[in-house]
Coordinates of all heavy atoms in Angstrom, one line a residue:
M23 N 33.5 26.3 -6.6 CA 32.3 25.6 -7.0 C 32.6 24.7 -8.2 O 32.9 25.2 -9.3 CB 31.2 26.6 -7.3 CG 30.8 27.5 -6.2 SD 29.9 26.7 -4.8 CE 28.3 27.3 -5.2
I24 N 32.5 23.4 -8.0 CA 32.8 22.5 -9.0 C 31.5 21.8 -9.5 O 30.9 21.0 -8.8 CB 33.7 21.3 -8.5 CG1 34.9 22.0 -7.6 CG2 34.2 20.5 -9.6 CD1 35.9 22.7 -8.5
P25 N 31.1 22.0 -10.8 CA 29.9 21.3 -11.2 C 30.3 19.8 -11.5 O 31.3 19.5 -12.1 CB 29.6 22.0 -12.5 CG 30.8 22.7 -12.9 CD 31.7 22.9 -11.7
V26 N 29.5 18.9 -11.0 CA 29.7 17.5 -11.2 C 28.6 16.7 -12.0 O 28.8 15.6 -12.4 CB 30.0 16.7 -9.9 CG1 31.4 17.0 -9.4 CG2 28.9 17.0 -8.9
Y27 N 27.5 17.4 -12.1 CA 26.3 16.6 -12.7 C 25.3 17.5 -13.2 O 24.9 18.5 -12.5 CB 25.7 15.7 -11.6 CG 24.9 14.6 -12.2 CD1 25.5 13.4 -12.6 CD2 23.5 14.7 -12.3 CE1 24.7 12.3 -13.1 CE2 22.8 13.6 -12.8 CZ 23.4 12.5 -13.2 OH 22.6 11.4 -13.7
S28 N 24.8 17.3 -14.4 CA 23.6 17.9 -14.9 C 22.5 16.9 -14.9 O 22.6 15.9 -15.6 CB 23.8 18.4 -16.4 OG 24.7 19.5 -16.3
A29 N 21.4 17.2 -14.2 CA 20.4 16.2 -14.1 C 19.3 16.5 -15.1 O 19.1 17.6 -15.6 CB 19.8 16.3 -12.6
A30 N 18.5 15.5 -15.3 CA 17.3 15.6 -16.2 C 16.2 16.4 -15.7 O 15.4 17.0 -16.4 CB 16.9 14.2 -16.7
D31 N 16.1 16.4 -14.4 CA 15.0 17.1 -13.7 C 15.3 17.4 -12.3 O 16.2 16.9 -11.7 CB 13.7 16.3 -13.8 CG 13.7 15.0 -13.1 OD1 13.8 15.1 -11.8 OD2 13.8 14.0 -13.7
P32 N 14.6 18.4 -11.7 CA 14.9 18.8 -10.3 C 14.7 17.7 -9.2 O 15.4 17.8 -8.2 CB 13.8 20.0 -10.1 CG 13.3 20.3 -11.4 CD 13.4 19.1 -12.3
V33 N 13.9 16.8 -9.5 CA 13.7 15.7 -8.5 C 14.9 14.8 -8.5 O 15.5 14.5 -7.4 CB 12.5 14.8 -8.9 CG1 12.3 13.7 -7.9 CG2 11.2 15.7 -8.9
E34 N 15.4 14.5 -9.6 CA 16.7 13.7 -9.7 C 17.8 14.4 -9.0 O 18.6 13.8 -8.2 CB 17.0 13.3 -11.1 CG 18.2 12.4 -11.2 CD 18.7 12.1 -12.6 OE1 18.6 12.9 -13.4 OE2 19.2 11.0 -12.8
V35 N 18.0 15.6 -9.3 CA 19.1 16.3 -8.7 C 19.0 16.4 -7.2 O 20.1 16.4 -6.5 CB 19.3 17.8 -9.4 CG1 18.4 18.8 -8.8 CG2 20.7 18.2 -9.5
E36 N 17.8 16.5 -6.7 CA 17.6 16.6 -5.2 C 18.0 15.2 -4.6 O 18.6 15.1 -3.6 CB 16.2 17.0 -4.9 CG 15.9 17.3 -3.5 CD 16.9 18.3 -2.9 OE1 17.3 19.3 -3.5 OE2 17.4 18.1 -1.7
I37 N 17.6 14.1 -5.3 CA 18.0 12.8 -4.9 C 19.5 12.6 -4.8 O 20.0 12.1 -3.8 CB 17.4 11.7 -5.8 CG1 15.8 11.7 -5.6 CG2 18.0 10.3 -5.6 CD1 15.1 10.9 -6.7
L38 N 20.2 13.1 -5.8 CA 21.6 13.0 -5.9 C 22.3 13.9 -4.8 O 23.3 13.5 -4.2 CB 22.1 13.4 -7.3 CG 21.8 12.3 -8.3 CD1 22.0 12.9 -9.7 CD2 22.5 11.0 -8.1
R39 N 21.7 15.1 -4.5 CA 22.2 15.9 -3.5 C 22.2 15.2 -2.1 O 23.2 15.2 -1.4 CB 21.5 17.2 -3.4 CG 22.2 18.3 -2.7 CD 21.3 19.5 -2.3 NE 20.2 19.0 -1.5 CZ 20.3 18.7 -0.2 NH1 21.4 18.8 0.4 NH2 19.2 18.2 0.5
S40 N 21.1 14.6 -1.8 CA 20.9 13.8 -0.6 C 21.9 12.6 -0.5 O 22.5 12.3 0.5 CB 19.5 13.3 -0.3 OG 18.6 14.2 -0.8
Y41 N 22.0 12.0 -1.7 CA 22.9 10.8 -1.8 C 24.4 11.2 -1.5 O 25.0 10.6 -0.7 CB 22.8 10.3 -3.3 CG 23.8 9.2 -3.7 CD1 23.8 8.0 -3.0 CD2 24.6 9.4 -4.8 CE1 24.6 7.0 -3.4 CE2 25.4 8.4 -5.2 CZ 25.5 7.2 -4.5 OH 26.3 6.2 -5.0
L42 N 24.8 12.4 -2.0 CA 26.2 12.8 -1.8 C 26.3 13.3 -0.3 O 27.3 13.0 0.4 CB 26.6 14.0 -2.7 CG 26.8 13.6 -4.2 CD1 27.2 14.8 -4.9 CD2 27.8 12.5 -4.3
A43 N 25.2 13.9 0.2 CA 25.3 14.4 1.6 C 25.4 13.2 2.6 O 26.1 13.3 3.6 CB 24.0 15.2 1.9
S44 N 24.7 12.1 2.2 CA 24.8 10.9 3.1 C 26.2 10.3 3.1 O 26.5 9.5 4.0 CB 23.7 9.9 2.7 OG 24.2 9.2 1.5
H45 N 27.0 10.7 2.1 CA 28.4 10.3 2.1 C 29.3 11.4 2.6 O 30.6 11.4 2.3 CB 28.8 9.8 0.7 CG 28.2 8.5 0.3 ND1 27.0 8.4 -0.1 CD2 28.7 7.2 0.5 CE1 26.7 7.1 -0.3 NE2 27.7 6.4 0.0
G46 N 28.8 12.4 3.2 CA 29.6 13.5 3.8 C 30.1 14.5 2.8 O 31.0 15.2 3.1
I47 N 29.5 14.6 1.6 CA 29.9 15.5 0.6 C 28.9 16.6 0.5 O 27.7 16.4 0.3 CB 30.1 14.8 -0.8 CG1 31.2 13.8 -0.7 CG2 30.3 15.8 -1.9 CD1 31.4 12.9 -1.9
D48 N 29.4 17.8 0.6 CA 28.5 19.0 0.6 C 28.3 19.5 -0.8 O 29.2 20.1 -1.4 CB 29.1 20.1 1.5 CG 28.2 21.2 1.8 OD1 26.9 21.1 1.5 OD2 28.6 22.3 2.2
A49 N 27.1 19.4 -1.4 CA 26.8 19.9 -2.7 C 25.6 20.7 -2.7 O 24.7 20.6 -1.9 CB 26.6 18.7 -3.7
V50 N 25.5 21.6 -3.7 CA 24.4 22.5 -3.8 C 23.8 22.3 -5.2 O 24.5 22.0 -6.1 CB 24.7 24.0 -3.5 CG1 24.9 24.2 -2.0 CG2 25.8 24.5 -4.4
V51 N 22.5 22.6 -5.3 CA 21.8 22.5 -6.6 C 21.7 23.9 -7.2 O 21.3 24.9 -6.5 CB 20.4 21.9 -6.4 CG1 19.6 22.0 -7.7 CG2 20.5 20.5 -5.9
L52 N 22.1 24.1 -8.4 CA 22.0 25.4 -9.1 C 21.1 25.1 -10.3 O 21.1 24.1 -11.0 CB 23.3 25.9 -9.6 CG 24.4 26.2 -8.6 CD1 25.6 26.7 -9.3 CD2 23.9 27.3 -7.6
G53 N 20.3 26.1 -10.6 CA 19.5 26.1 -11.9 C 18.1 25.6 -11.7 O 17.3 25.7 -12.6
S54 N 17.8 24.9 -10.6 CA 16.4 24.4 -10.4 C 15.4 25.5 -10.5 O 14.3 25.3 -10.9 CB 16.3 23.7 -9.0 OG 16.2 22.3 -9.2
Q55 N 15.7 26.7 -10.0 CA 14.7 27.8 -10.0 C 14.3 28.2 -11.4 O 13.4 28.9 -11.6 CB 15.1 28.9 -9.1 CG 16.3 29.7 -9.6 CD 17.7 29.1 -9.3 OE1 17.8 27.9 -9.0 NE2 18.7 29.8 -9.5
L56 N 15.2 27.8 -12.3 CA 14.9 28.2 -13.7 C 14.1 27.2 -14.5 O 13.8 27.3 -15.7 CB 16.2 28.5 -14.5 CG 17.1 29.5 -13.9 CD1 18.4 29.5 -14.7 CD2 16.5 30.9 -14.0
W57 N 13.7 26.1 -13.8 CA 13.1 25.0 -14.4 C 11.9 25.4 -15.2 O 11.7 24.9 -16.3 CB 12.7 24.0 -13.3 CG 12.1 22.7 -13.9 CD1 10.9 22.2 -13.6 CD2 12.8 21.7 -14.7 NE1 10.7 21.0 -14.3 CE2 11.9 20.7 -15.0 CE3 14.1 21.7 -15.3 CZ2 12.2 19.6 -15.8 CZ3 14.4 20.6 -16.1 CH2 13.5 19.6 -16.3
G58 N 11.0 26.3 -14.6 CA 9.8 26.6 -15.3 C 10.0 27.4 -16.7 O 9.2 27.4 -17.5
A59 N 11.3 27.9 -16.8 CA 11.6 28.7 -18.0 C 12.5 28.0 -19.0 O 13.0 28.5 -19.9 CB 12.3 30.0 -17.6
R60 N 12.6 26.6 -18.8 CA 13.6 25.9 -19.5 C 13.3 26.0 -21.0 O 14.3 25.8 -21.8 CB 13.7 24.5 -19.1 CG 12.4 23.6 -19.3 CD 12.6 22.3 -18.6 NE 11.4 21.4 -18.8 CZ 10.3 21.6 -18.2 NH1 10.1 22.6 -17.3 NH2 9.2 20.8 -18.3
G61 N 12.1 26.2 -21.5 CA 11.8 26.3 -22.9 C 12.6 27.4 -23.6 O 13.1 27.2 -24.7
E62 N 12.7 28.5 -22.8 CA 13.4 29.7 -23.4 C 14.9 29.6 -23.2 O 15.7 30.1 -23.9 CB 12.9 31.0 -22.8 CG 11.4 31.2 -23.1 CD 10.7 31.8 -21.9 OE1 11.1 32.8 -21.4 OE2 9.6 31.2 -21.6
L63 N 15.3 29.0 -22.0 CA 16.7 29.1 -21.6 C 17.5 27.9 -22.0 O 18.7 27.8 -22.0 CB 16.8 29.3 -20.1 CG 16.3 30.7 -19.6 CD1 16.1 30.7 -18.1 CD2 17.2 31.8 -20.1
Q64 N 16.8 26.8 -22.4 CA 17.4 25.6 -22.9 C 18.4 25.0 -21.9 O 18.1 25.0 -20.7 CB 18.0 25.8 -24.3 CG 16.9 26.2 -25.3 CD 17.4 26.6 -26.6 OE1 18.6 26.8 -26.8 NE2 16.6 26.9 -27.5
A65 N 19.5 24.5 -22.4 CA 20.4 23.7 -21.6 C 20.8 24.3 -20.3 O 21.0 23.7 -19.3 CB 21.6 23.3 -22.4
D66 N 20.9 25.6 -20.3 CA 21.4 26.3 -19.0 C 20.4 26.2 -17.9 O 20.7 26.4 -16.8 CB 21.6 27.8 -19.3 CG 22.9 28.0 -20.0 OD1 23.7 27.1 -20.1 OD2 23.1 29.2 -20.4
A67 N 19.1 25.9 -18.2 CA 18.1 25.8 -17.2 C 18.1 24.4 -16.5 O 17.4 24.2 -15.6 CB 16.7 26.1 -17.8
Y68 N 18.8 23.5 -17.0 CA 18.9 22.2 -16.3 C 19.5 22.3 -15.0 O 20.6 23.0 -14.9 CB 19.5 21.1 -17.2 CG 18.6 20.6 -18.3 CD1 18.7 21.3 -19.6 CD2 17.6 19.7 -18.1 CE1 17.8 20.9 -20.6 CE2 16.7 19.3 -19.1 CZ 16.8 19.9 -20.3 OH 16.0 19.6 -21.3
P69 N 19.0 21.7 -14.0 CA 19.6 21.7 -12.7 C 20.9 21.1 -12.6 O 21.1 20.0 -13.2 CB 18.6 21.0 -11.7 CG 17.7 20.2 -12.6 CD 17.7 20.8 -14.0
R70 N 21.9 21.7 -12.0 CA 23.2 21.1 -11.9 C 23.6 21.0 -10.4 O 23.2 21.7 -9.5 CB 24.2 22.1 -12.5 CG 24.4 22.0 -14.0 CD 24.9 23.2 -14.6 NE 24.0 24.3 -14.3 CZ 24.4 25.6 -14.3 NH1 25.6 25.9 -14.5 NH2 23.5 26.5 -14.1
L71 N 24.3 20.0 -10.2 CA 24.9 19.7 -8.9 C 26.3 20.2 -8.8 O 27.1 19.9 -9.6 CB 24.9 18.2 -8.7 CG 24.8 17.6 -7.2 CD1 23.6 18.2 -6.5 CD2 24.7 16.1 -7.3
V72 N 26.5 21.1 -7.8 CA 27.8 21.7 -7.7 C 28.4 21.5 -6.3 O 27.7 21.6 -5.3 CB 27.6 23.3 -7.9 CG1 28.9 24.0 -7.8 CG2 27.0 23.5 -9.3
L73 N 29.7 21.1 -6.3 CA 30.4 20.9 -5.0 C 30.9 22.2 -4.4 O 31.4 23.1 -5.2 CB 31.5 19.9 -5.2 CG 31.3 18.6 -5.8 CD1 32.6 17.8 -5.9 CD2 30.3 17.8 -5.0
R74 N 30.8 22.3 -3.1 CA 31.4 23.5 -2.5 C 32.9 23.3 -2.3 O 33.6 24.3 -2.4 CB 30.8 23.6 -1.0 CG 29.4 24.1 -1.0 CD 29.0 24.4 0.4 NE 27.5 24.5 0.6 CZ 26.8 25.6 0.3 NH1 27.4 26.7 -0.1 NH2 25.5 25.6 0.5
D75 N 33.3 22.1 -2.2 CA 34.8 21.8 -1.9 C 35.4 21.0 -3.0 O 35.0 19.8 -3.2 CB 34.9 21.1 -0.6 CG 36.3 21.0 -0.1 OD1 37.2 21.2 -0.9 OD2 36.6 20.6 1.0
A76 N 36.3 21.5 -3.7 CA 37.0 20.9 -4.9 C 37.6 19.5 -4.4 O 37.7 18.6 -5.2 CB 38.0 21.8 -5.5
A77 N 38.0 19.4 -3.2 CA 38.6 18.2 -2.6 C 37.7 17.0 -2.7 O 38.1 15.9 -2.7 CB 39.1 18.4 -1.2
D78 N 36.4 17.3 -2.7 CA 35.4 16.2 -2.7 C 35.2 15.6 -4.2 O 34.5 14.6 -4.3 CB 34.0 16.7 -2.3 CG 34.0 16.9 -0.8 OD1 34.8 16.3 -0.1 OD2 33.2 17.8 -0.3
E79 N 35.8 16.3 -5.2 CA 35.4 16.0 -6.5 C 35.6 14.5 -6.9 O 34.8 13.8 -7.5 CB 36.1 16.9 -7.5 CG 35.6 16.7 -8.9 CD 36.3 17.6 -10.0 OE1 37.2 18.3 -9.6 OE2 36.0 17.4 -11.2
P80 N 36.8 13.9 -6.6 CA 37.1 12.5 -7.0 C 36.0 11.6 -6.4 O 35.5 10.7 -7.1 CB 38.5 12.2 -6.5 CG 39.1 13.5 -6.4 CD 38.0 14.5 -6.0
R81 N 35.7 11.7 -5.1 CA 34.7 10.9 -4.5 C 33.4 11.1 -5.0 O 32.6 10.2 -5.2 CB 34.8 11.1 -2.9 CG 35.8 10.4 -2.2 CD 35.7 10.6 -0.7 NE 34.5 10.0 -0.2 CZ 33.7 10.6 0.7 NH1 34.0 11.8 1.2 NH2 32.6 10.0 1.2
A82 N 33.0 12.4 -5.3 CA 31.7 12.7 -5.8 C 31.5 12.0 -7.2 O 30.5 11.4 -7.4 CB 31.5 14.2 -5.9
R83 N 32.5 12.1 -8.0 CA 32.4 11.5 -9.3 C 32.3 10.0 -9.3 O 31.5 9.4 -10.0 CB 33.6 11.9 -10.2 CG 33.5 13.4 -10.6 CD 34.4 13.7 -11.8 NE 34.4 15.1 -12.1 CZ 33.5 15.8 -12.7 NH1 32.4 15.1 -13.2 NH2 33.6 17.1 -12.9
A84 N 33.0 9.4 -8.4 CA 32.9 8.0 -8.2 C 31.5 7.5 -7.7 O 30.9 6.6 -8.2 CB 33.9 7.5 -7.2
L85 N 30.9 8.3 -6.8 CA 29.6 8.0 -6.3 C 28.5 8.2 -7.4 O 27.6 7.4 -7.5 CB 29.3 8.9 -5.1 CG 30.0 8.6 -3.8 CD1 29.9 9.8 -2.8 CD2 29.4 7.3 -3.2
L86 N 28.7 9.2 -8.2 CA 27.7 9.5 -9.3 C 27.8 8.4 -10.3 O 26.8 8.0 -10.9 CB 28.0 10.9 -9.9 CG 27.6 12.0 -8.9 CD1 28.1 13.4 -9.4 CD2 26.1 12.1 -8.6
R87 N 29.1 7.9 -10.6 CA 29.2 6.8 -11.6 C 28.5 5.6 -11.1 O 27.9 4.9 -11.8 CB 30.7 6.5 -11.8 CG 31.3 7.2 -13.0 CD 32.5 6.5 -13.5 NE 33.5 6.3 -12.4 CZ 34.4 7.3 -12.1 NH1 34.4 8.4 -12.7 NH2 35.2 7.0 -11.1
E88 N 28.7 5.3 -9.8 CA 28.0 4.2 -9.2 C 26.5 4.3 -9.3 O 25.8 3.3 -9.6 CB 28.5 4.1 -7.7 CG 27.8 2.9 -6.9 CD 28.2 1.5 -7.4 OE1 29.2 1.5 -8.2 OE2 27.5 0.6 -7.0
Y89 N 26.0 5.5 -9.0 CA 24.6 5.8 -9.1 C 24.1 5.5 -10.6 O 23.1 4.8 -10.7 CB 24.3 7.2 -8.8 CG 22.9 7.7 -9.2 CD1 21.8 7.5 -8.3 CD2 22.7 8.4 -10.4 CE1 20.5 7.9 -8.7 CE2 21.5 8.8 -10.7 CZ 20.4 8.6 -9.9 OH 19.2 9.0 -10.3
E90 N 24.8 5.9 -11.5 CA 24.4 5.7 -13.0 C 24.4 4.2 -13.3 O 23.6 3.7 -14.0 CB 25.3 6.5 -13.9 CG 25.2 8.0 -13.7 CD 24.6 8.6 -14.9 OE1 25.3 8.5 -16.0 OE2 23.5 9.1 -14.8
R91 N 25.5 3.6 -12.8 CA 25.7 2.2 -13.2 C 24.5 1.4 -12.6 O 23.9 0.5 -13.3 CB 27.0 1.6 -12.5 CG 27.4 0.3 -13.1 CD 28.7 -0.2 -12.3 NE 28.4 -0.4 -10.9 CZ 27.7 -1.5 -10.4 NH1 27.2 -2.4 -11.2 NH2 27.4 -1.6 -9.1
R92 N 24.1 1.6 -11.3 CA 23.0 1.0 -10.7 C 21.7 1.3 -11.4 O 20.9 0.4 -11.6 CB 22.9 1.3 -9.2 CG 23.6 0.3 -8.4 CD 23.3 0.6 -6.9 NE 24.4 1.3 -6.3 CZ 24.3 2.0 -5.2 NH1 23.1 2.2 -4.6 NH2 25.4 2.5 -4.7
R93 N 21.5 2.5 -11.8 CA 20.3 2.9 -12.4 C 20.1 2.1 -13.7 O 19.0 1.6 -14.0 CB 20.3 4.4 -12.7 CG 18.9 4.9 -13.1 CD 18.8 6.3 -13.2 NE 19.8 6.8 -14.2 CZ 19.8 8.0 -14.8 NH1 18.9 8.8 -14.4 NH2 20.7 8.4 -15.7
H94 N 21.2 1.9 -14.5 CA 21.1 1.2 -15.7 C 20.9 -0.3 -15.5 O 20.2 -0.9 -16.2 CB 22.4 1.5 -16.6 CG 22.4 2.8 -17.2 ND1 21.5 3.2 -18.2 CD2 23.1 3.9 -17.0 CE1 21.7 4.5 -18.5 NE2 22.7 4.9 -17.7
A95 N 21.6 -0.8 -14.5 CA 21.5 -2.2 -14.2 C 20.1 -2.6 -13.8 O 19.6 -3.7 -14.0 CB 22.5 -2.6 -13.0
H96 N 19.3 -1.6 -13.2 CA 18.0 -1.9 -12.7 C 16.9 -1.5 -13.7 O 15.8 -1.7 -13.5 CB 17.7 -1.2 -11.4 CG 18.5 -1.8 -10.3 ND1 18.2 -3.0 -9.7 CD2 19.6 -1.4 -9.6 CE1 19.0 -3.3 -8.8 NE2 19.9 -2.4 -8.7
A97 N 17.4 -0.9 -14.8 CA 16.4 -0.3 -15.7 C 15.7 -1.5 -16.5 O 14.6 -1.3 -16.9 CB 17.0 0.7 -16.7
A98 N 16.4 -2.5 -16.8 CA 15.9 -3.6 -17.6 C 16.7 -4.9 -17.3 O 17.8 -4.9 -16.8 CB 16.1 -3.3 -19.1
W99 N 16.1 -6.0 -17.6 CA 16.8 -7.3 -17.6 C 16.7 -8.0 -18.9 O 15.8 -7.8 -19.7 CB 16.2 -8.2 -16.4 CG 14.8 -8.4 -16.4 CD1 13.8 -7.7 -15.9 CD2 14.1 -9.6 -17.0 NE1 12.5 -8.2 -16.2 CE2 12.7 -9.4 -16.8 CE3 14.5 -10.8 -17.6 CZ2 11.8 -10.4 -17.2 CZ3 13.6 -11.7 -18.0 CH2 12.2 -11.5 -17.8
H100 N 17.7 -8.8 -19.1 CA 17.8 -9.5 -20.4 C 17.3 -10.9 -20.3 O 17.6 -11.7 -19.4 CB 19.3 -9.6 -20.9 CG 19.8 -8.3 -21.3 ND1 20.3 -7.3 -20.5 CD2 19.9 -7.7 -22.6 CE1 20.6 -6.2 -21.2 NE2 20.4 -6.5 -22.5
C101 N 16.5 -11.2 -21.3 CA 15.9 -12.6 -21.3 C 16.8 -13.5 -22.2 O 17.5 -12.9 -23.1 CB 14.5 -12.5 -21.9 SG 13.7 -14.1 -22.1
V102 N 16.7 -14.8 -22.1 CA 17.4 -15.7 -22.9 C 17.1 -15.5 -24.4 O 17.8 -15.9 -25.3 CB 17.3 -17.2 -22.5 CG1 18.0 -17.4 -21.2 CG2 15.8 -17.5 -22.3
C103 N 15.8 -15.1 -24.7 CA 15.4 -14.9 -26.0 C 16.0 -13.7 -26.7 O 15.9 -13.4 -27.9 CB 13.8 -14.8 -26.1 SG 13.2 -13.2 -25.6
G104 N 16.7 -12.8 -25.9 CA 17.4 -11.7 -26.5 C 16.7 -10.4 -26.3 O 17.3 -9.3 -26.6
E105 N 15.5 -10.4 -25.8 CA 14.7 -9.2 -25.6 C 15.0 -8.7 -24.2 O 15.5 -9.4 -23.3 CB 13.2 -9.4 -25.7 CG 12.8 -9.8 -27.1 CD 13.0 -8.6 -28.1 OE1 13.2 -7.5 -27.7 OE2 13.1 -8.9 -29.3
Q106 N 14.7 -7.4 -24.0 CA 14.9 -6.8 -22.6 C 13.5 -6.4 -22.1 O 12.6 -5.9 -22.8 CB 15.6 -5.4 -22.7 CG 17.1 -5.6 -23.0 CD 17.8 -4.2 -22.9 OE1 17.3 -3.3 -22.2 NE2 18.9 -4.1 -23.6
S107 N 13.3 -6.7 -20.8 CA 12.0 -6.4 -20.1 C 12.3 -5.4 -19.0 O 13.4 -5.4 -18.4 CB 11.4 -7.6 -19.6 OG 10.9 -8.4 -20.6
P108 N 11.4 -4.5 -18.7 CA 11.5 -3.6 -17.6 C 11.6 -4.3 -16.2 O 11.1 -5.4 -16.2 CB 10.2 -2.7 -17.6 CG 9.6 -3.0 -18.9 CD 10.1 -4.3 -19.4
V109 N 12.2 -3.7 -15.3 CA 12.4 -4.4 -14.0 C 11.1 -4.8 -13.3 O 11.1 -5.7 -12.5 CB 13.2 -3.6 -13.0 CG1 14.7 -3.7 -13.3 CG2 12.8 -2.2 -12.9
T110 N 10.1 -4.1 -13.6 CA 8.8 -4.3 -13.0 C 8.1 -5.6 -13.6 O 7.1 -6.0 -13.0 CB 7.8 -3.1 -13.2 OG1 7.9 -2.8 -14.6 CG2 8.3 -1.9 -12.4
F111 N 8.6 -6.1 -14.7 CA 8.1 -7.4 -15.2 C 8.8 -8.6 -14.6 O 10.0 -8.7 -14.6 CB 8.3 -7.4 -16.8 CG 7.5 -6.5 -17.6 CD1 7.0 -5.3 -17.0 CD2 7.1 -6.8 -18.9 CE1 6.2 -4.4 -17.8 CE2 6.3 -5.9 -19.6 CZ 5.9 -4.7 -19.1
E112 N 7.9 -9.6 -14.2 CA 8.5 -10.8 -13.7 C 8.7 -11.8 -14.7 O 9.5 -12.8 -14.6 CB 7.6 -11.3 -12.5 CG 7.6 -10.5 -11.3 CD 9.1 -10.4 -10.7 OE1 9.8 -11.4 -10.7 OE2 9.4 -9.3 -10.2
I113 N 8.0 -11.7 -15.8 CA 8.2 -12.6 -17.0 C 8.5 -11.7 -18.2 O 8.2 -10.5 -18.3 CB 7.0 -13.5 -17.3 CG1 5.7 -12.6 -17.6 CG2 6.7 -14.4 -16.1 CD1 4.6 -13.4 -18.1
C114 N 9.2 -12.3 -19.2 CA 9.6 -11.7 -20.4 C 8.3 -11.3 -21.2 O 7.4 -12.1 -21.4 CB 10.4 -12.6 -21.3 SG 10.8 -11.9 -22.9
W115 N 8.3 -10.0 -21.6 CA 7.1 -9.5 -22.4 C 7.0 -10.2 -23.7 O 5.9 -10.4 -24.3 CB 7.1 -8.0 -22.6 CG 8.3 -7.6 -23.5 CD1 9.5 -7.2 -23.0 CD2 8.4 -7.5 -24.9 NE1 10.4 -6.9 -24.0 CE2 9.6 -7.0 -25.2 CE3 7.4 -7.7 -25.9 CZ2 10.0 -6.9 -26.6 CZ3 7.8 -7.5 -27.2 CH2 9.1 -7.1 -27.5
A116 N 8.2 -10.7 -24.3 CA 8.2 -11.2 -25.6 C 7.9 -12.7 -25.7 O 7.1 -13.2 -26.5 CB 9.5 -10.9 -26.3
C117 N 8.5 -13.5 -24.7 CA 8.3 -14.9 -24.9 C 7.7 -15.6 -23.6 O 7.4 -16.7 -23.6 CB 9.7 -15.6 -25.1 SG 10.8 -15.6 -23.7
G118 N 7.5 -14.8 -22.6 CA 6.9 -15.3 -21.4 C 7.8 -16.1 -20.4 O 7.3 -16.7 -19.5
A119 N 9.0 -16.2 -20.7 CA 10.0 -16.9 -19.9 C 10.1 -16.1 -18.5 O 10.0 -14.9 -18.5 CB 11.4 -17.0 -20.5
E120 N 10.4 -16.9 -17.5 CA 10.6 -16.3 -16.1 C 11.9 -15.5 -16.1 O 12.9 -15.8 -16.7 CB 10.6 -17.3 -15.1 CG 9.2 -17.7 -14.6 CD 9.2 -18.6 -13.4 OE1 9.9 -18.2 -12.4 OE2 8.5 -19.6 -13.4
R121 N 11.8 -14.4 -15.3 CA 13.0 -13.6 -15.1 C 14.1 -14.4 -14.4 O 13.8 -15.1 -13.4 CB 12.5 -12.4 -14.2 CG 13.6 -11.5 -13.9 CD 12.9 -10.4 -13.0 NE 13.9 -9.4 -12.5 CZ 13.5 -8.3 -11.9 NH1 12.2 -8.1 -11.7 NH2 14.4 -7.5 -11.5
P122 N 15.3 -14.4 -15.0 CA 16.4 -15.1 -14.3 C 16.7 -14.5 -13.0 O 16.7 -13.3 -12.8 CB 17.5 -15.0 -15.3 CG 17.2 -13.9 -16.2 CD 15.7 -13.6 -16.1
S123 N 17.1 -15.3 -12.0 CA 17.5 -14.7 -10.7 C 18.9 -14.1 -10.9 O 19.7 -14.7 -11.6 CB 17.5 -15.8 -9.6 OG 17.6 -17.1 -10.1
P124 N 19.1 -13.0 -10.2 CA 20.4 -12.3 -10.4 C 21.6 -13.1 -9.9 O 21.5 -13.9 -9.0 CB 20.2 -11.0 -9.6 CG 19.0 -11.2 -8.8 CD 18.2 -12.4 -9.3
Ligands
LIG6 ZN1 12.1 -13.7 -23.6

């Protein structure tokens, strides 16, 4: 059992499990059942994604890196004025300029 990811919450870890499964990688979620007790158990209670087969590890890590990269790329866009706006904004919150096309 190879741990590859500690997620911020049980929903995210489930999304990632399906993401790996769609690429033919068999992973299981550990720790989600402790979610309700995370106040007492701290870091150990965070859900973890664990691979059944160590041979999948390099591909799983590459996929997870890609997932993180995309998540950050979509989290915000940069305006010419130097500020960042959330992806849900079509115009800059600071100066009102239109969002540049990607
Ligand atoms: Zn701006």
Side-chain angles (χ1 to χ4, degrees):
M23 299 286 256
I24 313 293
V26 284
Y27 198 86
S28 288
D31 64 70
V33 175
E34 182 185 35
V35 85
E36 189 53 40
I37 290 168
L38 289 169
R39 195 196 58 76
S40 323
Y41 173 59
L42 292 183
S44 73
H45 288 83
I47 295 174
D48 190 16
V50 289
V51 173
L52 295 182
S54 251
Q55 70 278 16
L56 300 175
W57 185 243
R60 66 191 179 282
E62 295 140 54
L63 294 168
Q64 297 170 353
D66 282 350
Y68 284 93
R70 276 158 299 156
L71 205 53
V72 179
L73 301 180
R74 288 188 195 276
D75 187 349
D78 287 333
E79 189 182 359
R81 276 185 65 221
R83 289 199 185 280
L85 287 165
L86 292 169
R87 260 200 311 276
E88 177 65 15
Y89 166 84
E90 295 248 294
R91 194 187 62 76
R92 263 189 259 159
R93 192 175 58 162
H94 287 292
H96 289 286
W99 55 275
H100 285 83
C101 178
V102 286
C103 76
E105 293 295 343
Q106 286 186 28
S107 290
V109 282
T110 48
F111 286 29
E112 289 302 319
I113 59 168
C114 174
W115 66 268
C117 73
E120 275 190 50
R121 178 178 176 171
S123 22

